[in-house]
Amino acid sequence: MEYHWYPGHMTKAKRMMQENIKLVDLIIELVDARIPYSSRNPDIDELGKNKARIILLNKADLANEACNEEWTRAFQEKGAFVVKANSRTGAGLKAIGGAVQEACREKLERDRKRGIKNRPVRAMVAGIPNVGKSTFINSYAGKACAKTGNKPGVTRGAQWIRLNRQLELLDTPGILWPRFENQEVGYKLALIGSIKDELLNTEEMAVSFLGFLHENYEGLLAGRYGIEESSDALENLNKIAENRLCRLKGNVLDLNKASGILIDDFRNGRLGRITLEFPGDHI
């Protein structure tokens, strides 16, 4: 299965970022902690190469904590400041203020020497669809100032949000690159929900995911679905279908429905804390 998705409004979003990048001091880049490499847009590195950077490992509560620590160290070694957070609950967001001050220390010192006072740090909030940018802004600001949704591509235009005297945020639409050169990246983005479900082969994705779980999180399926785990991913999908009574007419197992249940359980953390990729493989 190949993954291709680049709606027209994303081309416009990239142009908008190019126009606005010169207005900001800092980029706060949200990534999904379950796939910190695959949920980064390489365009952002190029666009913001001369800007201070905070990487927000969002949905960190859904990812393996040991892996969160490994990714934090890996990004710090690349010169970024890192904050682990759950934007939905607000956990970890108190660390943002300190990270902003550290990341922009040189800029703030230059302003002080020039006699510039009370000029807020201007930060661009960037990331691919469905990593939680709007939820982060709403939670951090303490009010619903950015539109949110549970489908990719809800934010369609840039908007400035003044939080306080120290910080202004520029929200930007999520952008993806035009073609996934690495289909593994596309698969992981699809699994976390950054590609619209109606474009996907859910059953194929579930089988790939089950193979990964057996290799990296053996025993997890038994705990969630009460099945005897096999090394055969398709066999495990059949067992999940049986356990969840997923059947079509004629008593045929409904593997598509079982696939949807598995993926939904993963996305909502009901399978446990799972990270799909590790820094040693990518950085």
Side-chain angles (χ1 to χ4, degrees):
M1 178 178 180
E2 291 196 356
Y3 302 86
H4 304 274
W5 184 51
Y6 201 73
H9 74 270
M10 292 188 178
T11 302
K12 182 179 178 182
K14 182 177 177 180
R15 286 199 305 268
M16 192 179 300
M17 283 190 70
Q18 290 172 321
E19 294 167 1
N20 289 319
I21 196 76
K22 59 183 175 291
L23 302 176
V24 303
D25 309 299
L26 166 73
I27 297 174
I28 300 176
E29 180 187 357
L30 272 75
V31 301
D32 190 302
R34 296 166 294 180
I35 55 167
Y37 174 79
S38 295
S39 60
R40 299 191 71 209
N41 186 323
D43 289 337
I44 297 175
D45 275 341
E46 179 60 27
L47 290 168
K49 59 186 176 183
N50 297 317
K51 302 293 180 179
R53 179 78 59 89
I54 292 175
I55 292 180
L56 183 71
L57 286 174
N58 199 30
K59 306 181 184 181
D61 58 307
L62 299 178
N64 181 281
E65 180 56 24
C67 293
N68 287 342
E69 291 297 325
E70 289 179 25
W71 277 107
T72 295
R73 289 191 294 270
F75 285 133
Q76 287 173 337
E77 288 172 3
K78 294 291 184 180
F81 293 83
V82 183
V83 174
K84 296 181 294 181
N86 175 354
S87 295
R88 182 176 51 82
T89 65
L93 294 186
K94 288 183 179 179
I96 292 287
V100 168
Q101 295 297 308
E102 283 295 314
C104 295
R105 182 188 295 273
E106 292 182 6
K107 176 262 177 194
L108 294 171
E109 182 62 20
R110 285 196 305 270
D111 282 355
R112 187 187 66 79
K113 289 180 178 179
R114 294 171 183 170
I116 301 172
K117 299 179 180 179
N118 299 323
R119 179 187 177 279
V121 170
R122 288 183 166 179
M124 175 182 286
V125 181
I128 68 168
N130 218 36
V131 291
K133 295 187 307 298
S134 295
T135 301
F136 158 67
I137 291 172
N138 292 345
S139 184
Y140 193 54
K143 57 185 177 182
C145 55
K147 187 177 180 181
T148 60
N150 58 5
K151 290 189 176 183
V154 169
T155 306
R156 295 298 181 92
Q159 54 183 323
W160 283 100
I161 299 126
R162 181 159 185 141
L163 298 185
N164 50 51
R165 291 183 178 180
Q166 287 77 43
L167 184 62
E168 290 182 355
L169 298 181
L170 176 64
D171 187 20
T172 59
I175 56 174
L176 283 173
W177 44 100
R179 184 177 183 276
F180 302 118
E181 297 297 338
N182 181 343
Q183 290 297 305
E184 186 70 15
V185 169
Y187 150 72
K188 291 172 184 174
L189 289 169
L191 196 55
I192 68 165
S194 282
I195 298 174
K196 295 178 180 179
D197 285 340
E198 53 264 35
L199 302 177
L200 307 174
N201 183 324
T202 306
E203 188 175 327
E204 185 177 320
M205 187 163 60
V207 170
S208 295
F209 180 47
L210 286 167
F212 171 85
L213 289 179
H214 179 72
E215 184 176 342
N216 296 279
Y217 294 90
E218 189 174 358
L220 183 150
L221 296 175
R224 175 62 184 171
Y225 301 110
I227 65 173
E228 185 176 343
E229 190 173 321
S230 166
S231 59
D232 186 306
L234 183 57
E235 183 178 339
N236 286 331
L237 184 58
N238 277 272
K239 290 179 178 179
I240 292 171
E242 290 179 350
N243 177 272
R244 289 297 188 261
L245 305 177
C246 301
R247 294 189 179 274
L248 300 166
K249 289 183 179 180
N251 210 30
V252 176
L253 289 175
D254 187 345
L255 297 186
N256 189 62
K257 183 177 180 180
S259 298
I261 289 172
L262 172 70
I263 293 168
D264 188 65
D265 282 348
F266 163 69
R267 289 176 180 172
N268 289 283
R270 290 188 287 268
L271 291 178
R273 299 181 65 169
I274 298 171
T275 298
L276 298 178
E277 56 193 14
F278 314 106
D281 298 330
H282 300 286
I283 295 180

